[in-house]
């Protein structure tokens, strides 16, 4: 295996799309505090809009990426292939001891394939989550990444079970908690200062938030129409804020559903929000309706009812020990669940190890692992003593 004898443990860290940024942020901070790992940050450029990208780096204090592959958008095959083509020379040049990937986006799987074929170990943060629905691109990305990764960091007990069932050896699996929640807890006070409610003229606990971007919801006109039927009802009772993903906006622009949306006077469509404004908006909402994965986790910690507009979730702990409920796309089911959510008592449960310290645990495990594999102890070891 390649080692970096003079510089300590060298890890290329990959991020590419919006949900990766809040996962990479606490890791970069933990590396800095620990001092034993030499991180290189690679941005694939899967997300490139200022609102989906730069704002998060600024707000979450993520270092400017050392390398930006600037791949942009494309079909799954084109985007994945483009990331691979541009990532391979980076790995060859820097000869890292490991490549660390987070989450389940196309950048995650593309860089995993490149590293593995160059015999560089892959570390996967947020391993083991399974929706058991292979029509989801993210499920395919998760399966391939986990099957190739050397070190698998897991956020919830279901992830450990899933990996064991797939034959992953116990010594590769580490249940460490949730780096996304590290970011949420770390930036909670700062998010509290946001003035987004004043800007949108909203009253705390008297509005709902909706986000939708999954192809199964927004590329399928029938499904999207069913969800809109529910939103028509909900916005007649309270304002509904809809920070709209570019994919969703593009689809509405070319569909007759756009006219239906325009007629909902209490549905406020806004551009994607920065992290701090969005956390503030969610934390004071009466209810959140979403098809996102990460928002199911964030609402659980914020104790805000979450209605997930999907038939399955890869994050079952948010149902068992959180505020999440699967409601699919049936309008009546969504409306009924919305009414029930409004009268729900506030949940105080919190999944195990979602305590803001996941990144620290990950860095500890990586350091032990690298020593066990013969990667020399880092030159900065004394810093953390
Ligand atoms: C990706 C992830 C998804 C994640 C989501 C969060 C995959 C397979 N999907 O989906 O898991 O939940 O990010 O947002 O990796 N676009 C822009 N500006 C951008 C980025 C995208 O306008 O900065 C538009 C483009 O038209 C693009 C479309 O959005 O074709 C989809 O972007 P893409 O990165 O392919 O997937 P997402 O739907 O964002």
């Amino acid at each position: 295996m390649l080692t970096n004898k003079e510089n300590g443990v060298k890890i290329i860290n990959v991020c590419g799309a919006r949900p990766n940024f809040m996962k990479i942020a606490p890791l970069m901070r933990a590396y800095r505090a620990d001092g034993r790992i030499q991180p290189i940050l690679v941005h694939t450029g899967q997300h490139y809009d200022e609102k989906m990208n730069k704002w998060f780096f600024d707000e979450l204090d993520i270092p400017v990426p050392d390398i930006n592959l600037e791949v942009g958008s494309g079909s799954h095959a084109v985007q994945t292939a483009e990331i691979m083509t541009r990532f391979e020379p980076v790995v060859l040049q820097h000869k890292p001891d490991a490549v660390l990937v987070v989450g389940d986006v196309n950048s995650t799987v593309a860089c995993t394939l490149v590293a593995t074929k160059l015999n560089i170990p892959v570390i996967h943060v947020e391993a083991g989550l399974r929706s058991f629905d292979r029509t989801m691109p993210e499920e395919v990305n998760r399966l391939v990444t986990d099957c190739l990764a050397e070190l698998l960091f897991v956020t919830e007990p279901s992830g450990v079970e899933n990996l064991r069932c797939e034959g992953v050896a116990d010594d590769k699996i580490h249940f460490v908690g949730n780096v996304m929640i590290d970011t949420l807890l770390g930036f909670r006070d700062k998010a509290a200062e946001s003035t987004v409610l004043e800007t949108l003229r909203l009253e705390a606990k008297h509005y709902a938030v909706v986000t939708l971007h999954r192809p199964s919801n927004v590329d399928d006109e029938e499904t999207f129409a069913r969800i809109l039927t529910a939103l028509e009802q909900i916005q007649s009772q309270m304002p509904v804020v809809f920070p709209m993903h570019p994919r969703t906006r593009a689809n509405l622009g070319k569909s007759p559903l756009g006219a239906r949306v325009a007629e909902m006077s209490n549905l406020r469509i806004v551009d994607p929000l920065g992290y701090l404004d969005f956390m503030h908006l969610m934390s004071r909402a009466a209810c959140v309706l979403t098809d996102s994965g990460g928002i199911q986790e964030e609402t659980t910690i914020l104790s805000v009812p979450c209605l997930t507009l999907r038939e399955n979730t890869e994050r079952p702990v948010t149902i068992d020990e959180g505020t999440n409920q699967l409601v699919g796309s049936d309008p009546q089911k969504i409306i009924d669940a919305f009414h029930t959510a409004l009268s729900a008592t506030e949940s105080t449960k919190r999944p195990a190890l979602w305590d803001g310290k996941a990144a620290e645990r990950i860095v500890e495990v990586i350091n032990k692992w690298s020593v066990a594999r013969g990667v020399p102890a880092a030159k900065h070891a004394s810093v953390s003593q």
Side-chain angles (χ1 to χ4, degrees):
M1 125 178 206
L2 299 165
T3 58
N4 295 278
K5 300 218 178 307
E6 281 163 28
N7 299 316
V9 187
K10 192 196 261 189
I11 299 185
I12 291 186
N13 299 269
V14 176
C15 62
R18 184 171 59 178
N20 292 164
F21 305 143
M22 38 289 230
K23 295 170 193 165
I24 216 77
L27 288 166
M28 299 307 286
R29 208 163 306 114
Y31 294 145
R32 212 158 43 216
D34 177 79
R36 285 174 286 181
I37 289 169
Q38 183 198 351
I40 298 174
L41 183 59
V42 174
H43 190 324
T44 64
Q46 178 174 343
H47 283 175
Y48 43 86
D49 278 359
E50 199 173 49
K51 298 183 179 76
M52 305 282 287
N53 173 34
K54 186 171 179 305
W55 285 3
F56 290 80
F57 279 75
D58 294 347
E59 288 187 341
L60 302 180
D61 200 19
I62 307 171
V64 176
D66 298 290
I67 297 146
N68 193 323
L69 305 178
E70 296 182 342
V71 295
S73 302
S75 69
H76 283 268
V78 167
Q79 191 176 58
T80 306
E82 200 58 46
I83 298 168
M84 289 180 71
T85 307
R86 296 185 192 200
F87 188 57
E88 186 177 51
V90 172
V91 179
L92 287 170
Q93 183 195 340
H94 290 277
K95 300 181 174 46
D97 296 304
V99 168
L100 180 143
V101 295
V102 297
D104 55 16
V105 302
N106 286 344
S107 303
T108 312
V109 71
C111 295
T112 294
L113 281 166
V114 169
T116 304
K117 290 196 171 206
L118 293 172
N119 291 323
I120 306 290
V122 170
I123 301 171
H124 186 202
V125 174
E126 201 187 84
L129 297 180
R130 296 289 180 270
S131 64
F132 302 100
D133 172 5
R134 290 193 186 188
T135 65
M136 281 179 84
E138 293 82 1
E139 182 75 352
V140 178
N141 295 345
R142 290 189 281 258
L143 281 162
V144 174
T145 302
D146 285 344
C147 147
L148 297 175
E150 274 287 310
L151 262 186
L152 298 101
F153 290 111
V154 179
T155 53
E156 61 166 86
S158 75
V160 176
E161 276 314 298
N162 294 334
L163 292 172
R164 282 187 182 147
C165 287
E166 288 167 21
V168 178
D170 270 352
D171 62 348
K172 292 183 171 182
I173 305 171
H174 299 270
F175 175 37
V176 289
N178 192 328
V179 282
M180 195 159 198
I181 302 306
D182 289 6
T183 296
L184 188 153
L185 297 175
F187 284 86
R188 207 170 181 172
D189 289 348
K190 221 168 167 191
E193 294 166 13
S194 158
T195 54
V196 68
L197 295 201
E198 287 82 358
T199 309
L200 295 173
R201 279 184 258 119
L202 296 166
E203 200 188 323
K205 297 292 169 203
H206 288 92
Y207 63 90
V209 175
V210 59
T211 82
L212 285 173
H213 73 282
R214 292 223 174 267
S216 56
N217 280 335
V218 303
D219 292 2
D220 181 312
E221 220 165 86
E222 263 178 47
T223 309
F224 203 171
R226 282 200 299 276
I227 294 173
L228 289 181
T229 302
L231 292 182
E232 270 158 0
Q233 288 268 333
I234 293 171
Q235 61 94 45
S236 71
Q237 292 171 40
M238 61 169 63
V240 176
V241 188
F242 191 166
M244 199 171 274
H245 186 280
R247 171 195 284 279
T248 312
R249 194 179 278 278
N251 284 355
L252 278 180
K254 52 190 190 220
S255 143
L257 296 178
R260 262 180 84 182
V261 167
E263 277 182 12
M264 292 188 224
S265 58
N266 226 4
L267 181 73
R268 317 242 184 106
I269 294 177
V270 296
D271 281 338
L273 294 169
Y275 183 81
L276 300 173
D277 282 345
F278 189 64
M279 278 310 123
H280 190 92
L281 188 69
M282 275 207 301
S283 65
R284 275 118 181 117
C287 180
V288 174
L289 300 99
T290 190
D291 60 8
S292 151
I295 291 174
Q296 297 170 46
E297 299 180 336
E298 289 162 339
T299 45
T300 274
I301 294 299
L302 295 170
S303 299
V304 172
C306 177
L307 307 184
T308 294
L309 306 173
R310 289 172 45 190
E311 305 298 336
N312 52 50
T313 179
E314 60 288 333
R315 293 163 160 92
V317 79
T318 60
I319 296 176
D320 300 340
E321 293 176 40
T323 58
N324 189 20
Q325 201 185 327
L326 285 180
V327 293
S329 61
D330 175 62
Q332 200 52 52
K333 200 168 170 194
I334 298 172
I335 293 162
D336 290 348
F338 171 73
H339 286 128
T340 311
L342 293 189
S343 51
T345 49
E346 201 169 285
S347 152
T348 50
K349 284 201 270 183
R350 178 173 285 195
L353 301 185
W354 290 20
D355 58 0
K357 298 193 169 96
E360 281 173 41
R361 293 188 192 102
I362 288 172
V363 167
E364 264 321 299
V365 175
I366 292 177
N367 278 321
K368 283 193 188 134
W369 168 86
S370 64
V371 170
R373 280 189 67 104
V375 179
K379 63 176 180 184
H380 300 301
S382 56
V383 174
S384 61
Q385 304 297 298

